[in-house]
């Protein structure tokens, strides 16, 4: 029940105004989801540095959570080099060389993890694109690419942790935004749980993220993982997935959820509706295309 | 020539301006459209609207007679339900281009998205490029011309109309087949292409309905009637109804169709009682004047609310399922009692509009009888998502009732077993629904309430979606709701009982803080003012009556509504049968019945010590059975069983 958007810059890969672009695009389709807004933003990675973000409670309760997080980080020999408490979240940058999945699962048990990655930072909260920007200064974000989401809360509460994008719990730098509904959710989830994966929420978008991340960790290419996802997932969906250097999309066989893409020499942009794309190019008539039913695709950043 | 700059003007203001220019006959240029939704919605005059750029969803939707030109792309639902006029798109169109059109020319120079021409009735959709997946899905009439490739499943479940393809046919859908192209049709296509200056030198292939799914292959044998009270008897085992059912299935080899709703016993409003012993209420002719009954409903978004003299409405029932005379009688009775009538699925009749005081106009998945002119003369608009009798399924109207006249109003071929689509072409989720509701509001200048009819299913989620999406009110229909035709097993076993429906809807609204903000109109087995008062005490803002109003107007509850040979002239389109229906007399009967409800609601409110019906609350109620207590969380008080069925005598 939502709107999605993604953007990838081709020529100036490390310092593009990804934040500003996604705010405009999500503002353009805010009617599809007024309750919460989120961004998965990608910087260029730095050696052995991990970015982590957690939801923390207000006041003293939040301080306790932060202490628990720090204890756990210390236990895993992750050295905090930077930290910031902002909005509903706490953000850390740490030196870390160990097993990320183990660290992630351990952290899940002491706090609500928003995202972990070398490049990825997920910012999401209740309110409109501009509301979230006001708190988190998404506007100032410069990087390589990103995806975003506006949410109409129906089956779960209006809460920051129910917002998108979803991080692929346990897998660095993979995020998903999704419009639609996966109807064989529990079947798929039980299959993945049997193989040892943990789920942070009951949201079907997290399932897609973990499903794809699992395939990628087994050495599959993103495009192959997307191809099988269309047959494995039952339901209506249009989703975008981002990794540290790619954005991919997939659409169900009935094309029940919209998606429009645009490409020029400078960038590739994809969104639920053309009105979001036009927000980047006011007053212009864009040459766009709508991916057909059951289609998928990826764009890679030229590094 | 006027110019509207959408960088400086909202679409809402722009559409108001476009309609005003339309009335004056002045053409309009729209600049900086930037793919915004709803451009031109609601225009009913012959002017040219030139959109200089891309337009979003429902461009030129719900219009009649305008000439639209869009320089670039359009989003989903191009020319939705357009009755006449033309739309030329220079770029591509998104999904469901020309959905439900009833006579316009829609020309797309680029490609068209999936399900183009879904449920269209008349007119032409031309795509100079290629189509996609399920073009012509469930189309009833008109023609689709595709110069490029057809896409997969072309003509899926089309009922009528013609599809012509210049390029490759990728695959045909179910019940579609390819036939030879007659020469005169080719001439007509070429003329159309010339008129809109679309060059094409290739040849065409023609695809039409194959006729395999238009009718049930075996007709149910005539059986002796097993009336409702027998069908709802105590034993589930081998009773008369069960025997009859088995016999009929042994002949037709499929599920059976019948009228009415669930007959099996279910927890219902009769399983709750008023906390005070009201069996001693005496006839008080003045009680109606003493108690506040007036109820307004639907002003949540600034539209003019429906104003009811008491918290009762007539439930949506179609002209088609019911005879014209019956619909007129209901409309007359609703006016006499100062409440509202509802068109149901089959469109609006002039006479019905004339005699009904307040008329709600219902929009269903097949868009049968739906059009901008009737929208603009309705007092409320209602999107039907589902109904209590058959949640998740579309309406059914058997061939006997699909007469020439009914087929004309609905825009469908005559004499088919009409199975309306189970879902809307343009509502595939809460996000699309927001855009659809806004289209209705744009088309009517935000003047009237927009409600939703929901069959009780996943109420907790559905009610939240309705609230979030901004509906003015909900007509919530429980499992006991009736219909003119549905599968017997569906009627009996699919859905949630009315009692659970109202309770879950209140819980759902409480979870989001929406109680009091979005009223619920409860229906599904409301049989008198006692049920109405209980429903209101449980949180409903009003109730709607369908079956009981029909019975008041002469129905004998034989459950054979689907056959079309109703002996009292209600559920029939046969003039010989309809002759038996005395419209003014039955209108009076329905009116008197409604007045009995008024008196009961007032008397109960008074007896419980309130001055206004909307002061009734849960504190006034107890549950008589463990099941009802479990469902409603009311105190279980079996000691009230003695006084549970008060014999309230009619005043006067």
């Amino acid at each position: 029940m939502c709107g999605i958007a993604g953007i990838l810059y081709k020529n100036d890969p490390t310092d593009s105004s990804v934040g500003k672009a996604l705010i405009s695009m999500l503002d353009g389709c805010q009617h599809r989801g007024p309750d919460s807004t989120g961004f998965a933003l990608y910087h260029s990675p730095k050696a052995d540095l991990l970015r982590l973000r957690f939801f923390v409670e207000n006041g003293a309760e939040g301080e306790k959570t932060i202490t628990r997080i720090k204890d756990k980080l210390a236990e895993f020999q992750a050295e905090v080099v930077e930290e910031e408490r902002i909005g509903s979240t706490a953000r850390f940058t740490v030196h870390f060389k160990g097993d990320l999945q183990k660290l992630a699962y351990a952290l899940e048990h002491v706090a609500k993890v928003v995202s972990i990655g070398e490049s990825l930072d997920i910012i999401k909260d209740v309110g409109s694109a501009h509301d979230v920007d006001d708190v988190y200064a998404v506007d100032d974000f410069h990087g390589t690419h990103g995806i975003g989401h506006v949410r109409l809360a129906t089956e779960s509460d209006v809460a920051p942790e129910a917002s998108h994008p979803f991080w692929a719990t346990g897998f660095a730098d993979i995020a998903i935004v999704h419009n639609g509904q996966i109807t064989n959710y529990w079947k798929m989830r039980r299959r993945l749980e049997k193989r040892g994966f943990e789920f942070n929420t009951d949201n079907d978008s997290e399932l897609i993220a973990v499903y794809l991340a699992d395939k990628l960790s087994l050495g599959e290419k993103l495009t192959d993982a997307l191809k099988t996802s269309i047959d494995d997932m039952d339901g209506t969906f249009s989703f975008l997935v981002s990794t540290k250097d790619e954005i991919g999309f997939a659409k169900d066989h009935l094309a029940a959820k919209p998606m429009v893409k645009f490409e020029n020499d400078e960038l590739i942009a994809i969104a639920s509706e053309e009105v979001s794309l036009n927000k980047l190019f006011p007053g212009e008539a864009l040459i766009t295309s709508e991916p057909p039913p059951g289609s998928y695709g990826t764009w890679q950043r030229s590094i | 020539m006027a110019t509207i700059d959408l960088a400086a003007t909202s679409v809402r203001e722009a559409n108001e301006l476009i309609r005003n220019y339309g009335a004056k006959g002045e053409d309009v240029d729209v600049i900086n459209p930037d793919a915004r939704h709803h451009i031109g919605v609601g225009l009913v005059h012959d002017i040219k609207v030139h959109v200089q750029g891309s337009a979003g969803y429902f461009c030129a939707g719900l219009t009649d007679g305008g000439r639209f030109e869009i320089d670039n792309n359009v989003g989903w639902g191009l020319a939705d339900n357009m009755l006449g006029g033309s739309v030329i798109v220079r770029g591509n169109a998104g999904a469901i281009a020309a959905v439900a059109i009833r006579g316009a020319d829609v020309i797309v120079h680029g490609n068209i998205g999936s399900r183009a021409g879904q449920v269209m009735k008349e007119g032409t959709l031309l795509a100079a490029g290629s189509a996609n997946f399920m073009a012509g899905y469930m189309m009833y009439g008109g023609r689709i011309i595709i110069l490029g490739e057809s896409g997969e499943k072309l003509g899926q479940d089309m009922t009528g109309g013609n599809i012509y393809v210049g390029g490759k046919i990728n695959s045909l859908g179910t019940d579609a087949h390819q036939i030879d192209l007659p020469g005169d049709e080719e001439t007509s296509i070429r003329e159309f292409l010339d008129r809109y200056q679309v060059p094409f030198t290739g040849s065409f292939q023609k695809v039409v309905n194959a006729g395999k799914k238009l009718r049930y292959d075996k007709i149910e044998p005539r059986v002796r009637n097993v009336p409702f009270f027998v069908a709802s008897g105590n034993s589930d085992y081998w009773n008369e109804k069960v025997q009859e059912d088995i016999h009929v299935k042994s002949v037709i080899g499929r599920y059976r169709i019948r009228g009415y709703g669930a007959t099996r016993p279910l927890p219902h409003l009769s399983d709750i009682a008023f906390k005070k012993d009201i069996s001693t209420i005496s006839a008080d002719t003045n009680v109606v004047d003493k108690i506040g009954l007036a109820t307004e409903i639907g002003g949540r978004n600034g539209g003019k609310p429906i104003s009811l003299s008491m918290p009762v409405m007539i439930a949506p029932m179609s002209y088609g399922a019911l005879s014209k005379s019956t619909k007129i009688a209901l409309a007359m009775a609703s006016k006499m009692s100062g409440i509202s009538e509802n068109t149901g699925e089959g469109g609006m009749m002039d006479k019905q509009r004339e005699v009904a005081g307040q008329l709600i106009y219902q929009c269903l998945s097949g868009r049968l009888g739906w059009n901008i002119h009737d929208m603009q003369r309705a007092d409320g608009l209602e999107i039907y998502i589902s109904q209590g009798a058959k949640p998740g399924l579309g309406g059914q109207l058997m061939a006997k009732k699909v007469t020439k006249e009914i087929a004309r109003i609905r825009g469908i071929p005559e004499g088919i077993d009409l199975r309306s689509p189970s879902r809307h072409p343009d509502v595939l989720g809460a996000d699309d629904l927001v855009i659809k509701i806004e289209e209705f509001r744009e088309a009517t200048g935000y003047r009237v309430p927009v409600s939703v009819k929901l069959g009780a299913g996943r109420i907790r989620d559905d009610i939240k979606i309705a609230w979030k999406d901004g509906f003015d009110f909900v007509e919530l229909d429980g499992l006991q709701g009736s219909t003119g035709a549905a599968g017997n097993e569906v009627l009996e076993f699919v859905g949630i009982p009315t009692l659970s429906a109202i309770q879950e809807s209140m819980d759902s609204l409480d979870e989001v803080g929406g109680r009091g903000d979005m009223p619920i109109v409860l229906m599904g087995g409301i049989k008198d003012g006692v049920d109405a008062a209980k429903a209101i005490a449980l949180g409903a803002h009003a109730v709607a009556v369908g079956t009981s109003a029909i019975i008041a107007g002469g129905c004998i509850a034989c459950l054979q509504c689907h056959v079309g040979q109703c002996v009292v002239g209600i559920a029939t389109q046969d003039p010989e049968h309809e002759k038996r229906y005395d419209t003014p007399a039955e209108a009076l009967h329905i009116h008197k019945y409604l007045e009995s409800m008024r008196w009961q609601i007032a008397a109960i409110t008074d007896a419980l010590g309130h001055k206004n019906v909307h002061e009734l609350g849960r504190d006034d109620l107890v549950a008589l059975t463990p099941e009802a207590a479990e469902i409603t969380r009311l105190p279980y008080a079996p000691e009230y069983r003695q006084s549970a069925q008060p014999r309230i005598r009619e005043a006067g």
Side-chain angles (χ1 to χ4, degrees):
Chain A
M1 310 302 164
C2 23
I4 57 180
I7 190 157
L8 183 140
Y9 289 90
K10 296 173 172 175
N11 302 330
D12 184 17
T14 57
D15 195 29
S16 303
S17 48
V18 173
K20 207 181 276 276
L22 283 174
I23 293 168
S24 298
M25 291 170 81
L26 295 178
D27 179 54
C29 65
Q30 199 86 55
H31 53 270
R32 297 184 71 89
D35 290 328
S36 62
T37 308
F39 306 83
L41 305 164
Y42 288 82
H43 314 245
S44 352
K46 286 186 186 142
D48 298 330
L49 275 187
L50 266 191
R51 302 164 202 273
L52 305 93
R53 196 182 281 270
F54 302 86
F55 284 121
V56 294
E57 304 84 341
N58 289 327
E61 207 51 40
E63 289 305 319
K64 281 189 213 160
T65 306
I66 288 171
T67 307
R68 284 202 308 274
I69 293 167
K70 284 184 176 169
D71 290 350
K72 197 52 83 180
L73 287 169
E75 193 186 314
F76 278 78
Q77 278 101 44
E79 180 205 339
V80 177
V81 295
E82 194 191 346
E83 66 174 284
E84 180 192 24
R85 196 169 165 181
I86 183 166
S88 318
T89 69
R91 180 178 69 83
F92 297 87
T93 309
V94 301
H95 265 298
F96 181 70
K97 288 183 179 174
D99 182 334
L100 184 132
Q101 195 170 50
K102 278 192 185 140
L103 172 69
Y105 287 174
L107 287 167
E108 288 287 354
H109 294 278
V110 296
K112 288 178 184 162
V113 183
V114 181
S115 64
I116 300 179
E118 292 175 352
S119 308
L120 168 69
D121 185 16
I122 291 180
I123 294 170
K124 55 183 185 179
D125 212 329
V126 298
S128 70
H130 289 299
D131 294 341
V132 175
D133 176 41
D134 285 346
V135 177
Y136 296 89
V138 180
D139 197 23
D140 294 340
F141 182 90
H142 289 76
T144 53
H145 59 294
I147 57 177
H149 186 273
V150 294
R151 177 168 186 264
L152 176 75
T154 50
E155 292 175 27
S156 47
D157 297 339
V158 181
E161 57 268 31
S163 326
H164 295 222
F166 275 92
W167 175 51
T169 306
F171 297 93
D173 296 317
I174 297 173
I176 198 119
V177 290
H178 162 220
N179 177 204
Q181 197 175 24
I182 306 299
T183 43
N184 59 345
Y185 171 78
W186 287 105
K187 196 168 146 192
M188 297 280 294
R189 173 167 165 173
R190 276 195 291 271
R191 259 187 226 166
L192 288 162
E193 279 176 336
K194 271 188 195 154
R195 303 206 11 246
F197 298 114
E198 292 188 17
F199 285 80
N200 201 6
T201 68
D202 288 344
N203 194 292
D204 51 4
S205 310
E206 186 191 20
L207 175 90
I208 305 174
V210 173
Y211 170 92
L212 294 173
D214 173 35
K215 301 246 176 211
L216 295 180
S217 70
L218 294 171
E220 273 192 35
K221 282 184 178 165
L222 181 59
T223 157
D224 295 330
L226 289 169
K227 182 172 191 243
T228 50
S229 77
I230 297 171
D231 291 322
D232 285 347
M233 307 278 173
D234 194 11
T236 58
F237 53 84
S238 280
F239 66 79
L240 296 176
V241 57
S242 50
T243 69
K244 62 184 192 309
D245 47 22
E246 275 175 299
I247 288 183
F249 73 89
K251 226 173 147 174
D252 71 80
H253 286 296
L254 297 173
K257 294 291 171 186
M259 190 181 266
V260 188
K261 54 183 183 162
F262 169 76
E263 184 169 0
N264 65 11
D265 291 342
E266 188 201 350
L267 58 83
I268 290 154
I270 189 159
S272 294
E273 301 173 5
E274 188 157 331
V275 66
S276 286
L277 305 177
N278 247 132
K279 279 273 181 177
L280 300 175
F281 303 96
E284 288 186 36
L286 302 175
I287 296 171
T288 61
S289 61
E290 192 169 332
S295 65
Y296 58 93
T298 60
W299 295 291
Q300 193 143 15
R301 220 154 51 75
S302 46
I303 309 165
Chain B
M1 167 86 71
T3 299
I4 298 173
D5 182 358
L6 285 184
T9 312
S10 72
V11 172
R12 181 172 170 177
E13 290 166 319
N15 281 337
E16 206 70 53
L17 289 170
I18 291 171
R19 282 193 289 266
N20 290 341
Y21 288 126
K24 288 189 282 183
E26 192 174 344
D27 294 346
V28 180
D29 259 1
V30 177
I31 61 170
N32 292 310
D34 288 357
R36 287 180 178 85
H37 301 331
H38 306 120
I39 296 173
V41 165
L43 176 68
V44 289
H45 292 96
D46 179 11
I47 58 165
K48 185 175 164 187
V49 179
H50 181 191
V51 179
Q52 299 187 7
S54 292
Y57 283 31
F58 297 124
C59 179
L62 300 169
T63 58
D64 185 12
R67 286 165 289 124
F68 290 84
E69 264 190 62
I70 296 94
D71 287 347
N72 201 44
N73 305 323
V74 294
W76 285 31
L78 169 71
D80 167 37
N81 197 252
M82 199 169 178
L83 299 188
S86 61
V87 186
I88 298 168
V89 176
R90 303 281 170 198
N92 300 320
I96 47 170
V99 55
I101 59 167
R102 291 198 70 165
D105 293 344
V106 181
I107 295 92
V108 179
H109 284 268
N111 301 321
I112 53 177
S114 51
R115 297 182 285 123
Q118 187 169 348
V119 300
M120 65 183 278
K121 320 280 185 322
E122 249 186 276
T124 303
L125 166 63
L126 165 67
S130 292
N132 210 315
F133 192 60
M134 284 197 189
Y137 182 35
M138 292 190 281
M139 68 187 286
Y140 294 105
R143 65 178 170 179
I144 299 177
I145 306 167
I146 302 162
L147 302 186
E149 289 193 15
S150 75
E152 304 291 336
K153 299 191 184 226
L154 179 69
Q156 173 89 2
D157 285 331
M158 62 190 294
T159 299
N162 301 309
I163 304 176
Y164 307 96
V165 183
K168 184 183 165 200
I169 294 180
N170 300 82
S171 71
L172 290 175
T174 53
D175 213 22
H177 75 159
Q178 200 182 323
I179 57 167
D180 290 338
L181 176 71
D184 58 334
E185 286 180 28
E186 172 147 12
T187 310
S188 160
I189 296 169
R190 302 275 176 207
E191 278 169 13
F192 189 85
L193 294 175
D194 289 347
R195 191 179 338 143
Y196 289 101
Q197 294 161 1
V198 179
F200 183 73
T201 51
S203 58
F204 289 98
Q205 307 158 82
K206 181 180 178 185
V207 172
V208 294
N209 168 259
K212 292 184 184 136
K213 290 171 73 179
L214 293 181
R215 297 284 298 268
Y216 286 99
D217 55 352
K218 288 216 168 60
I219 294 170
E220 288 187 27
R222 295 296 296 268
V223 289
R224 65 188 168 8
N225 287 346
V226 179
F228 189 92
F229 54 87
V230 176
S232 61
N234 289 326
S235 169
D236 288 343
Y237 293 97
W238 323 127
N239 66 26
E240 276 186 79
K241 189 74 189 165
V242 174
Q243 287 183 41
E244 179 204 88
D245 210 47
I246 293 171
H247 284 310
V248 173
K249 283 174 179 165
S250 74
V251 175
I252 61 176
R254 59 168 166 84
Y255 60 91
R256 293 185 67 197
I257 311 280
R258 68 165 172 85
Y260 267 62
T263 59
R264 71 194 172 102
L266 289 161
H268 194 39
L269 294 161
S270 44
D271 296 325
I272 58 176
F274 299 105
K275 207 178 257 179
K276 199 168 160 186
D277 181 358
I278 53 170
S279 58
T280 53
I281 293 177
S282 61
D284 175 353
T285 45
N286 294 324
V287 72
V288 165
D289 301 327
K290 281 187 355 199
I291 300 298
L293 295 173
T295 301
E296 283 205 337
I297 195 156
R300 188 183 166 204
N301 291 287
K304 185 182 174 219
I306 305 286
S307 173
L308 305 167
S309 72
M310 61 175 159
V312 179
M313 291 177 155
I314 301 292
M317 294 174 281
S318 74
Y319 167 42
L322 303 183
S323 65
K324 187 182 280 182
S325 309
T326 311
K327 284 304 284 176
I328 300 302
L330 286 163
M332 288 165 71
S334 73
K335 173 134 197 216
M336 286 186 255
S337 286
I339 64 170
S340 62
E341 153 73 336
N342 189 314
T343 63
E345 175 162 27
M348 191 187 286
M349 291 175 280
D350 289 343
K351 178 80 177 166
Q352 175 186 33
R353 173 63 278 189
E354 189 188 307
V355 297
Q358 296 172 95
L359 184 58
I360 297 170
Y361 183 33
Q362 214 181 38
C363 173
L364 280 89
S365 51
R367 308 288 153 79
L368 306 169
W370 183 246
N371 66 78
I372 181 63
H373 301 293
D374 289 336
M375 287 178 82
Q376 291 181 340
R377 62 177 180 161
D379 300 296
L381 305 172
E382 185 162 285
I383 297 183
Y384 165 108
I385 298 291
S386 60
Q387 70 187 95
K390 43 186 167 182
L393 298 167
Q396 287 186 313
L397 195 65
M398 310 308 277
K400 179 85 189 164
K401 286 179 169 177
V402 185
T403 59
K404 199 172 176 183
E405 161 85 352
I406 295 290
R408 184 189 61 76
I409 290 180
R410 297 187 177 211
I412 59 172
E414 189 183 337
I416 60 169
D417 280 331
L418 173 65
R419 280 154 288 181
S420 300
S422 59
R423 53 164 59 188
H424 287 268
D426 39 16
V427 181
L428 300 171
D431 36 23
D432 306 325
L433 184 52
V434 170
I435 306 174
K436 188 73 198 165
I437 297 167
E438 205 173 317
E439 186 199 18
F440 285 9
R441 295 201 199 280
E442 287 291 342
T444 51
Y446 292 74
R447 286 181 301 100
V448 296
V450 180
S451 54
V452 62
K453 167 83 185 279
L454 281 177
R458 294 202 325 179
I459 313 222
R460 262 192 152 77
D461 295 333
D462 290 348
I463 291 290
K464 280 181 200 162
I465 291 171
W467 181 71
K468 292 251 163 152
D469 280 2
F471 279 112
D472 288 289
F473 62 94
V474 176
E475 293 212 51
L476 181 63
D477 193 10
L479 175 55
Q480 291 97 322
S482 288
T483 181
N488 180 55
E489 284 76 6
V490 173
L491 288 170
E492 295 287 4
F493 298 107
V494 180
I496 305 290
T498 303
L499 192 61
S500 312
I502 184 63
Q503 186 60 46
E504 281 194 45
S505 67
M506 289 300 123
D507 292 346
S508 172
L509 285 173
D510 284 343
E511 280 173 31
V512 292
R515 174 142 14 175
D517 185 27
M518 183 183 69
I520 306 283
V521 179
L522 189 67
M523 60 178 87
I526 305 287
K527 56 190 188 309
D528 51 29
V530 183
D531 282 352
K534 288 174 184 171
I536 289 160
L538 282 169
H541 195 62
V543 297
V545 290
T547 306
S548 49
I550 296 295
I551 294 175
C555 165
I556 55 166
C558 71
L559 315 190
Q560 303 298 307
C561 326
H562 61 295
V563 176
Q565 300 281 64
C566 178
V567 293
V568 287
I570 293 173
T572 183
Q573 299 303 326
D574 184 331
E576 286 306 309
H577 290 251
E578 193 173 345
K579 258 198 273 180
R580 299 170 193 160
Y581 196 83
D582 181 343
T583 305
E586 299 302 356
L588 204 57
H589 283 139
I590 299 167
H591 165 59
K592 281 187 184 169
Y593 161 73
L594 289 169
E595 292 311 301
S596 81
M597 285 187 78
R598 183 192 310 279
W599 188 85
Q600 286 180 317
I601 296 168
I604 290 167
T605 305
D606 183 46
L608 291 167
H610 303 296
K611 293 283 170 225
N612 189 296
V613 63
H614 295 292
E615 290 162 22
L616 290 171
R618 290 173 58 87
D619 291 345
D620 293 315
L621 302 176
V622 291
L624 299 177
T625 65
E627 290 86 352
E630 178 68 24
I631 288 168
T632 59
R633 302 192 302 275
L634 289 169
Y636 174 47
E639 64 273 20
Y640 281 83
R641 282 182 196 161
Q642 289 304 315
S643 60
Q645 302 295 336
R647 295 189 182 282
I648 302 174
R649 280 179 291 115
E650 169 81 55

